[in-house]
Amino acid sequence: MRSILLVAPFALMPFPALAQDADRELWLTGSVKVPVASGTVLELETVNRISDDSGGLYETELAGGLSHRLGDGWSLGGGYVRVVNRSRGVVTRGEDRLRIQIGRSTRLGAVQLSGRLRLERRTTSTGSDVGYRLRPQVKAALPLAERLALFASHESLIPLDRTDWGETGRYDRMRNMVGLSWKANRTLAIEAGYLNQYRYRRAGRRDTMDHVLSIGIGLTL
């Protein structure tokens, strides 16, 4: 029953009709957190995304930044992300992102609730415009055992302006995920689950739905 109550709010979110195009993907994430001062952590992350339709690895992200605890569950962070896009082994675009975000974490009974609002400044190798994008995310986790938890999350990606490299300044995509997280010890945590990504296409192209197996490994040093 508790598991149903946790997932229910995400199941009730408005969801678009079934997409005409679909893809199967694998997302692999690795992250490291290193304390550098009181309340401040250096965060490093790599994400590799693999797709059937793109013939293998199609996107790599390398990110680094700092996060600082403000108190009462609030945090403030920022950093840089380098993104490389590929299609069937050929590099098609490079992207540079600067980002800043504010986060909040709290408890509601046994459920751990967290959220963040991220703003990105984006430039790419395929255009000269600067684009800005908002990425709000919410997440709920319910303990199932001492080191095991069930979680569900939602993230929206919202470009704020038009660019000469393809952004239209309107709601772009949503990512809904459900999975399990396991804290092996004080240093190692593993998260895995199903992620559904729905992308709203432009210029008469059909919307797409990506069915993703997402696996993440995190180290806290």
Side-chain angles (χ1 to χ4, degrees), residues 180-193:
L180 295 172
S181 60
W182 177 57
K183 192 168 180 61
N185 50 49
R186 296 178 61 180
T187 301
L188 175 65
I190 300 173
E191 186 174 280

Side-chain angles (χ1 to χ4, degrees), residues 116-130:
R116 59 117 168 105
L117 180 63
R118 174 181 295 169
L119 175 64
E120 297 177 322
R121 179 188 186 275
R122 307 167 66 203
T123 58
T124 77
S125 61
T126 55
S128 59
D129 289 347
V130 175

Side-chain angles (χ1 to χ4, degrees), residues 20-182:
Q20 295 180 359
D21 290 332
D23 191 15
R24 294 177 298 178
E25 301 190 9
L26 173 65
W27 293 6
L28 303 173
T29 302
S31 64
V32 178
K33 296 182 179 181
V34 183
V36 294
S38 178
T40 302
V41 176
L42 171 66
E43 299 178 333
L44 304 173
E45 182 181 72
T46 177
V47 181
N48 291 280
R49 297 188 170 114
I50 300 165
S51 160
D52 281 352
D53 286 354
S54 296
L57 179 67
Y58 74 91
E59 186 171 85
T60 299
E61 295 184 7
L62 298 173
L66 295 173
S67 177
H68 181 73
R69 293 196 308 270
L70 301 176
D72 194 29
W74 290 93
S75 64
L76 180 66
Y80 167 76
V81 186
R82 175 62 177 174
V83 183
V84 177
N85 296 114
R86 301 175 177 84
S87 179
R88 305 196 179 280
V90 178
V91 173
T92 57
R93 191 176 80 167
E95 180 180 337
D96 296 292
R97 301 175 187 169
L98 294 175
R99 67 189 189 190
I100 186 170
Q101 66 184 46
I102 187 166
R104 177 77 160 94
S105 179
T106 189
R107 279 193 172 275
L108 182 62
V111 178
Q112 180 72 40
L113 299 175
S114 60
R116 59 117 168 105
L117 180 63
R118 174 181 295 169
L119 175 64
E120 297 177 322
R121 179 188 186 275
R122 307 167 66 203
T123 58
T124 77
S125 61
T126 55
S128 59
D129 289 347
V130 175
Y132 292 88
R133 182 169 67 180
L134 279 178
R135 294 178 59 172
Q137 183 187 62
V138 292
K139 184 176 182 179
L142 176 69
L144 300 178
E146 182 179 358
R147 297 182 178 180
L148 184 68
L150 171 70
F151 72 88
S153 67
H154 167 82
E155 181 180 27
S156 290
L157 285 77
I158 310 168
L160 300 180
D161 40 28
R162 292 178 176 271
T163 67
D164 58 1
W165 39 270
E167 293 297 0
T168 60
R170 61 188 183 190
Y171 194 100
D172 180 59
R173 71 188 71 180
M174 67 172 71
R175 294 171 177 171
N176 298 305
M177 183 175 178
V178 61
L180 295 172
S181 60
W182 177 57

